[in-house]
Amino acid sequence: MFQATLTCDGLSAKTGEFKLVFVKEKQKKESFCTRDLTVDDVRNIVKVLRENTFFAEKNKKTKKVEKFPLTQLPNLYRIDKIFHRNSDNCKFKSEEVTNNSFENFTAQLNVTLSKYEINNCQRRAHFFSQIFIETQYFTKTVEADNSRTDDYDPYRGRGFIHLTWLENYQRYQKHTGVSVVNTEDLNSKNSSVKSSKDNNTNCKIVSTNLEVALDTAGWYWKFGSVYGDINLIADKGTVELVTKAVQGGDGALSERKSAYQLLIKIFSQ
């Protein structure tokens, strides 16, 4: 019969026979911040964020302006739909996202988190809160028209963190080898290019292909920002600092803060 005596450190007194491994509670809690996410994890993140993000509207009965969760607009923010609204604007009818299932999103997301070292609670909470707002609550991967966008079309903001201006598309292509710039524009020094092939620009892959939309975001997060590796800012910085590193300002800061607070609770549980 086999017998062994355990020492206080959990090792057998008979060398090499067996070893007990005790998992600390802290390690269990942090595993969600380091492991691959499941489809159910991602579905829950989308659900929690949309149910706790609000829009203002006048109550038809009381006539008072009240806040309502996004999920009360089911045609726009259904729990089971993601990245489905590029074509809301007729200008982007050709930029519908391919394979925008939760399964595909989760698979590509895990690749991005690993590749760009978004691998602890702070980094993930900051990254998710930023891309949630950048993609209009996980519904769009292309920036809407505004007073500025004609200046930088066709290289407008696309992806989960808006890749904007020809120069940044060029930098991403040279760094990764992924073709997102027209051949005639690849070496251009003009930051604002009016491509003659607007309907066939390579840049549209950033908005239509989830793999590229996520990869550009990961690349910008680690290599593209003028503030340096945003992982390092996320480790010690505030939502204000991360937002500035992402978009150079403080756009939708209150929403980014709210999303971050929700996400840090999810990733730390």
Side-chain angles (χ1 to χ4, degrees):
M1 178 181 294
F2 173 79
Q3 292 183 336
T5 303
L6 294 181
T7 62
C8 62
D9 64 358
L11 299 178
S12 171
K14 293 186 177 182
T15 305
E17 288 180 339
F18 69 84
K19 177 181 179 181
L20 296 181
V21 178
F22 295 95
V23 179
K24 295 181 181 179
E25 187 64 24
K26 184 178 180 181
Q27 291 175 321
K28 288 182 179 179
K29 289 182 179 179
E30 290 181 346
S31 65
F32 190 71
C33 300
T34 57
R35 65 169 170 80
D36 279 357
L37 301 178
T38 68
V39 174
D40 286 342
D41 290 335
V42 175
R43 285 184 181 277
N44 181 61
I45 288 170
V46 173
K47 180 176 184 293
V48 170
L49 287 173
R50 286 184 180 168
E51 287 180 342
N52 292 278
T53 302
F54 303 90
F55 67 96
E57 189 172 81
K58 183 178 289 187
N59 187 302
K60 293 181 180 179
K61 293 182 179 180
T62 66
K63 306 302 181 183
K64 295 181 179 179
V65 176
E66 299 178 6
K67 289 184 177 181
F68 302 92
L70 292 180
T71 47
Q72 287 200 17
L73 298 172
N75 291 334
L76 303 179
Y77 304 109
R78 286 172 51 180
I79 296 299
D80 60 337
K81 289 283 189 179
I82 49 176
F83 315 117
H84 55 290
R85 297 186 56 206
N86 283 1
S87 59
D88 281 4
N89 185 322
C90 62
K91 185 173 182 177
F92 308 117
K93 286 289 186 183
S94 64
E95 297 193 41
E96 291 188 29
V97 180
T98 56
N99 198 0
N100 58 338
S101 67
F102 274 92
E103 290 75 14
N104 185 47
F105 177 45
T106 301
Q108 303 302 337
L109 180 61
N110 283 325
V111 170
T112 298
L113 295 177
S114 175
K115 181 177 179 181
Y116 294 104
E117 299 177 344
I118 306 168
N119 53 13
N120 65 36
C121 293
Q122 289 290 341
R123 294 177 183 187
R124 290 190 174 187
H126 278 295
F127 182 74
F128 273 76
S129 63
Q130 294 293 326
I131 67 174
F132 177 61
I133 302 305
E134 293 281 301
T135 59
Q136 197 167 331
Y137 321 123
F138 294 140
T139 65
K140 295 183 177 182
T141 57
V142 60
E143 181 181 19
D145 279 335
N146 58 43
S147 59
R148 302 189 321 268
T149 50
D150 278 346
D151 294 336
Y152 50 69
D153 271 333
Y155 298 101
R156 69 167 56 236
R158 291 182 176 85
F160 284 75
I161 291 177
H162 287 158
L163 192 67
T164 309
W165 298 106
L166 171 62
E167 178 185 1
N168 287 321
Y169 279 81
Q170 290 171 326
R171 290 173 61 214
Y172 174 74
Q173 179 161 324
K174 289 174 181 177
H175 190 273
T176 66
V178 179
S179 180
V180 295
V181 178
N182 283 358
T183 302
E184 66 269 26
D185 299 336
L186 186 56
N187 297 309
S188 174
K189 300 298 183 182
N190 183 3
S191 62
S192 179
V193 170
K194 299 296 182 182
S195 174
S196 60
K197 298 181 179 180
D198 236 15
N199 294 324
N200 298 295
T201 51
N202 292 343
C203 59
K204 292 181 181 180
I205 192 176
V206 180
S207 58
T208 59
N209 184 303
L210 276 188
E211 179 180 358
V212 179
L214 276 163
D215 193 66
T216 54
W219 170 82
Y220 187 87
W221 187 264
K222 187 164 178 62
F223 300 111
S225 173
V226 296
Y227 293 89
D229 185 350
I230 301 178
N231 281 321
L232 304 181
I233 301 173
D235 285 343
K236 298 180 180 180
T238 62
V239 176
E240 287 91 340
L241 289 174
V242 172
T243 300
K244 190 172 184 179
V246 166
Q247 53 125 259
D250 59 0
L253 183 59
S254 62
E255 286 193 327
R256 293 172 201 260
K257 284 183 174 180
S258 296
Y260 171 79
Q261 292 300 327
L262 290 167
L263 286 159
I264 198 64
K265 290 178 181 178
I266 292 175
F267 284 116
S268 300
Q269 61 183 272

